[in-house]
Amino acid sequence: MAGGIADGMRHLRSEWGRWWRAEDVTDTHIAHRILNDQYRLWRTTRQQVRADVTQSVKLLQDQQRQQTYMQMQRMQAMRRSGGRGFYGYGFGGGSPIISYRIMQWRQLQMRVNSEEFKHLEVTNSMLQIGYGQLRARRHRAAFLWVLALLVLWSGLWWVSALAALAVAAAAGAVVLVMAWSQGRHPTRRRPPVPKLLFVPASVPAHTELEAPPEPEPFALREAGRDPRQVREAVRLALAKEGAKVAEVQLPEETTYGWKVPLVLESGTAEHLMSRLKNVATTLRVGASRVMAQASDPDDAALMAMRILVRDPFADPPPYPQRPPRSCSILNQVSLGISVEGETTPVVLAGQHVLLVANTGGGKSSLVQAIAEFVTACDDAVVVDIDPVKRRGLKALSPAAAMTARTMEEAEDVLEQLLARAQARTASMPPTQDTWIPTPDAPAIVAVIEEFPGLSKRAKELSISLLRLGRESLISIVLITQDATSAVLSDAIADAFPIRILMACRAADVPLAVGRPDAVSQGWLPHLLIPSPEPDFPADAGRYYCVTARHRSPILRYVTPLPPAEADRRTRERIAAGLPRLESAPAPAPAAADVPEIARLLLEAFATHSDPAELSVEDIGRYMATIEPDVWAQWDDRSTRDRRAQIGRHLKARLKEAGLAELGTVRIEKMPGRPSGYRLADIRALLEKPAA
């Protein structure tokens, strides 16, 4: 009992101290008081102005009526006297100056009536002043109450000492009861927040109307498997990183994490992509495990964010067993699995492949996946070209039909492949579109490592082969660490139906994908982390690909082929026998008699599938790939001027070669009817016997 009363007395003393120091109120209490004081002052001032305006208008109206009355009196006096003359300011009009002043006061009255109250924002210094004023008022009130009670108690003591003692005892009993009650159930006094006397146009600070502070983001694993908690974690993470997301919809749990639909604000897809790396840090997931992509072609604002809480490729499917010569290059082969568990089927026959990857990105695994399939085909062979690193296909290299480890060997192999492509294209009948592979004349897949490190001649041969490879089924797998326009032009990049992007630079993505907004659409290979060392794979082997069947930015993975297994399969296939290339085509007897410019013209037509007519601009574009110093010197000029220069230079070369008879024609099927040459005219001129 005593302890409870003692605790209660301490609590009452503490409550008195809080009241005395104004600690029982919050910033919201003070802010509401300050804003209400502002409103009362504005209302009082407005009422005073209204009263002043009304009084001033009334005085002016009385003055105007007085002047009007005096004018009327003067007019009547003049009529009685029969005189004529000045009638004052006008008949019954009063003074125009007074009318103007009345109008001014009326306008002021209208402005006062239409004026709305606008509060001043409450600052920290205003809050401190408000606390001080509240404490001062409470101190004055406490002093007056104590003084009044003392006076009353003294008067009561003077009237009757017994009554004074009885009142004092009753007051002590009340204090003891309060102390006992507060000792058992202590309560904190918190006065109600004064209600605002007005409806603010904007939310004032430090008030009940102010939005509560945003909670701190939390790790995704703390959300468990509750979709609503996951949505809140994603929303807070996006808000913290400044991503402009209008709505985060209910997530859907997947095998490896979550798929979260998002609704973006206008034009913020690229902005969202730039924030994904930081969002992954805030959610405490892997650095490359937050991805996003457009989910509806009819709604650019709807995005799908994928969050991987587990490695989806930790247990990849094993390599399929392929006995020697059990496959066909015309059939599909899967280059790996996607994050959704689907395969990645492609057809390699006549399809050029562009592979962009930094060191440690896992390009060896993907190249070996291609080579392993090709060496198992009955109608295809692989060619290994690597004059830079000189490692090539590694354990699969002995199964290659041709190998190049020096720059001279690379040029020689590429020359042979180009000659074979030209021979195949020339030998096909008009009714045949592509080469038909057989064990004695197989399709060829040439793997070229480190394309930027090739010699100028080797690059020119590779580009020429790109033009002819599709029909002759001699395709190139071009590997590079740099896919910018300085290394690969737009025209070359477009020649690859299959484009694979592993861990690379952000600058490589738009050109390789073929879209300037590729990153904003969800192509994020630049966020993949290459392997820093053999024992730490990081994101090695993960990639995005662009093919005829795969046009969405979906993360994929290629299973690495163990070196021992690659060596076993290589020896097994060599022992069983590999397809052999047909004999290299011998040069045509009359080739020496064909002028160089005519040969280049025929090659230009061949790269465009031998159309009946070919424009001067298309011919010049091909010539620039063979002799860039000669034919690309006008690229900085206007289109019309460039065409004219190419046409004049072409005619000069034909005249030097004795082919001045070859004239240009207008190509009616093309817009603008550009000038060009007819293939039949070139062949007829070359077949014409010399005079």
Side-chain angles (χ1 to χ4, degrees):
M1 180 72 175
I5 291 176
D7 293 338
M9 292 298 294
R10 284 192 293 270
H11 181 73
L12 290 175
R13 187 167 57 251
S14 173
E15 283 295 290
W16 166 260
R18 291 178 66 246
W19 181 88
W20 181 261
R21 296 185 297 271
E23 293 177 356
D24 59 332
V25 296
T26 62
D27 292 350
T28 302
H29 290 77
I30 303 300
H32 278 228
R33 290 177 180 272
I34 294 174
L35 292 172
N36 285 338
D37 289 343
Q38 292 181 12
Y39 179 74
R40 293 190 187 96
L41 178 61
W42 173 82
R43 188 173 57 186
T44 302
T45 305
R46 186 182 183 189
Q47 292 174 352
Q48 183 64 41
V49 171
R50 278 178 169 177
D52 293 343
V53 169
T54 302
Q55 184 178 4
S56 299
V57 170
K58 185 176 182 304
L59 291 175
L60 288 172
Q61 288 176 342
D62 292 343
Q63 186 177 359
Q64 190 177 44
R65 283 194 294 268
Q66 182 67 28
Q67 288 190 3
T68 302
Y69 176 76
M70 294 176 63
Q71 290 176 13
M72 295 293 295
Q73 292 294 325
R74 286 196 297 270
M75 289 170 59
Q76 292 177 2
M78 292 178 67
R79 287 174 181 174
R80 286 193 297 268
S81 61
R84 297 179 182 178
F86 182 69
Y87 285 98
Y89 293 106
F91 178 75
S95 173
I97 297 177
I98 296 176
S99 299
Y100 178 72
R101 289 178 178 175
I102 292 176
M103 181 187 69
Q104 287 182 319
W105 282 105
R106 292 293 189 190
Q107 290 177 348
L108 177 59
Q109 186 178 28
M110 292 175 61
R111 286 198 301 270
V112 171
N113 292 334
S114 62
E115 184 183 16
E116 295 183 358
F117 173 67
K118 295 181 180 179
H119 66 275
L120 298 176
E121 287 295 339
V122 179
T123 62
N124 292 330
S125 59
M126 295 170 65
L127 290 175
Q128 296 302 320
I129 294 173
Y131 276 113
Q133 292 175 347
L134 179 61
R135 285 192 294 267
R137 285 198 299 269
R138 288 184 174 183
H139 294 174
R140 288 194 297 270
F143 173 76
L144 293 176
W145 272 102
V146 171
L147 181 61
L149 290 175
L150 289 176
V151 170
L152 290 175
W153 191 74
S154 299
L156 185 61
W157 184 270
W158 180 74
V159 173
S160 171
L162 184 60
L165 291 175
V167 170
V174 171
V175 171
L176 289 177
V177 170
M178 291 177 60
W180 177 79
S181 175
Q182 291 297 314
R184 291 175 59 88
H185 303 289
T187 58
R188 286 287 185 183
R189 181 181 179 275
R190 179 73 71 187
V193 177
K195 185 179 179 180
L196 287 178
L197 302 177
F198 63 97
V199 178
S202 59
V203 178
H206 309 292
T207 64
E208 290 182 338
L209 304 178
E210 188 178 19
E214 192 75 29
E216 289 294 324
F218 55 92
L220 188 65
R221 58 177 172 268
E222 297 179 11
R225 301 183 62 181
D226 186 352
R228 290 178 174 78
Q229 290 296 320
V230 172
R231 177 173 59 183
E232 182 67 8
V234 172
R235 186 187 68 81
L236 294 176
L238 292 172
K240 178 184 177 183
E241 302 305 332
K244 298 179 180 179
V245 177
E247 180 185 0
V248 179
Q249 299 179 356
L250 196 64
E252 174 188 351
E253 189 173 10
T254 63
T255 306
Y256 306 111
W258 296 89
K259 181 179 179 181
V260 187
L262 305 176
V263 179
L264 301 179
E265 296 180 7
S266 176
T268 57
E270 187 173 0
H271 184 268
L272 172 66
M273 299 303 172
S274 64
R275 299 295 192 274
L276 293 183
K277 191 172 183 180
N278 295 335
V279 169
T281 303
T282 304
L283 292 176
R284 304 288 297 276
V285 296
S288 58
R289 295 189 180 181
V290 177
M291 299 160 285
Q293 67 183 80
S295 60
D296 188 350
D298 298 327
D299 188 353
L302 191 60
M303 304 288 290
M305 176 185 288
R306 294 181 183 274
I307 305 174
L308 307 181
V309 298
R310 294 180 298 278
D311 186 358
F313 309 119
D315 188 20
Y319 258 81
Q321 291 297 327
R322 298 189 179 104
R325 308 187 75 161
S326 62
C327 304
S328 173
I329 195 68
L330 300 176
N331 295 335
Q332 294 181 354
V333 59
S334 176
L335 298 182
I337 60 171
S338 71
V339 72
E340 297 175 343
E342 299 176 349
T343 58
T344 310
V346 297
V347 176
L348 295 176
Q351 303 295 309
H352 299 301
V353 181
L354 174 64
L355 175 56
V356 184
N358 288 334
T359 302
K363 57 179 176 290
S364 296
S365 298
L366 205 145
V367 170
Q368 286 194 331
I370 295 175
E372 191 276 335
F373 170 75
V374 175
T375 56
C377 290
D378 186 50
D379 53 1
V381 294
V382 68
V383 174
D384 186 6
I385 303 175
D386 185 9
V388 179
K389 293 183 178 179
R390 302 186 178 185
R391 300 189 64 189
L393 300 177
K394 300 179 182 178
L396 293 171
S397 184
M402 303 172 70
T403 304
R405 289 292 181 267
T406 65
M407 206 62 68
E408 293 76 13
E409 291 177 352
E411 294 177 3
D412 182 60
V413 169
L414 289 170
E415 285 178 354
Q416 294 183 44
L417 293 177
L418 182 58
R420 196 179 303 275
Q422 292 170 345
R424 287 184 175 183
T425 303
S427 65
M428 288 189 299
T431 57
Q432 183 176 335
D433 294 331
T434 59
W435 184 258
I436 299 176
T438 64
D440 297 327
I444 302 173
V445 178
V447 180
I448 304 177
E449 286 272 3
E450 302 297 338
F451 175 78
L454 296 182
S455 65
K456 180 179 179 181
R457 175 60 178 163
K459 289 181 180 179
E460 293 174 354
L461 292 169
S462 301
I463 294 172
S464 300
L465 195 57
L466 285 174
R467 310 295 184 185
L468 301 174
R470 186 172 182 273
E471 293 182 353
S472 60
L473 257 63
I474 301 178
S475 54
I476 290 177
V477 178
L478 193 149
I479 305 169
T480 178
Q481 295 186 21
D482 188 353
T484 55
S485 57
V487 177
L488 296 177
S489 66
D490 294 343
I492 297 177
D494 291 341
F496 293 93
I498 301 174
R499 307 172 204 173
I500 298 172
L501 295 91
M502 308 186 94
C504 60
R505 303 178 310 162
D508 300 330
V509 179
L511 184 63
V513 175
R515 299 186 58 173
D517 60 344
V519 173
S520 65
Q521 294 299 317
W523 299 92
L524 308 174
H526 58 289
L527 297 183
L528 298 175
I529 301 174
S531 173
E533 55 190 40
D535 295 334
F536 185 69
D539 291 331
R542 305 180 187 214
Y543 66 93
Y544 293 82
C545 71
V546 184
T547 73
R549 293 180 175 85
H550 312 99
R551 301 182 183 182
S552 299
I554 297 176
L555 186 64
R556 302 175 185 274
Y557 178 75
V558 58
T559 305
L561 182 63
E565 178 63 15
D567 180 67
R568 186 192 69 78
R569 296 191 182 198
T570 300
R571 288 186 283 105
E572 181 184 32
R573 291 166 186 178
I574 293 176
L578 297 169
R580 294 183 178 273
L581 291 173
E582 72 272 24
S583 300
D593 299 333
V594 177
E596 177 69 14
I597 186 63
R599 184 182 64 81
L600 292 176
L601 279 175
L602 292 175
E603 289 182 4
F605 273 87
T607 58
H608 291 79
S609 302
D610 287 336
E613 299 164 334
L614 192 63
S615 67
V616 170
E617 185 176 2
D618 290 336
I619 293 173
R621 188 180 294 111
Y622 172 76
M623 297 293 190
T625 63
I626 305 301
E627 300 176 355
D629 297 340
V630 177
W631 298 93
Q633 58 180 316
W634 306 291
D635 287 351
D636 57 343
R637 301 191 182 185
S638 64
T639 303
R640 184 175 181 180
D641 190 13
R642 184 175 68 254
R643 289 175 182 172
Q645 294 292 341
I646 293 174
R648 282 194 287 268
H649 190 73
L650 192 56
K651 288 182 179 180
R653 291 280 294 271
L654 289 170
K655 186 177 181 180
E656 292 175 1
L659 302 174
E661 300 178 27
L662 187 62
T664 60
V665 297
R666 288 288 181 179
I667 304 177
E668 302 292 342
K669 297 180 180 180
M670 295 184 64
R673 301 175 63 249
S675 298
Y677 289 87
R678 188 179 286 116
L679 180 60
D681 295 344
I682 300 174
R683 289 176 174 173
L685 187 60
L686 293 177
E687 293 173 358
K688 183 178 180 181

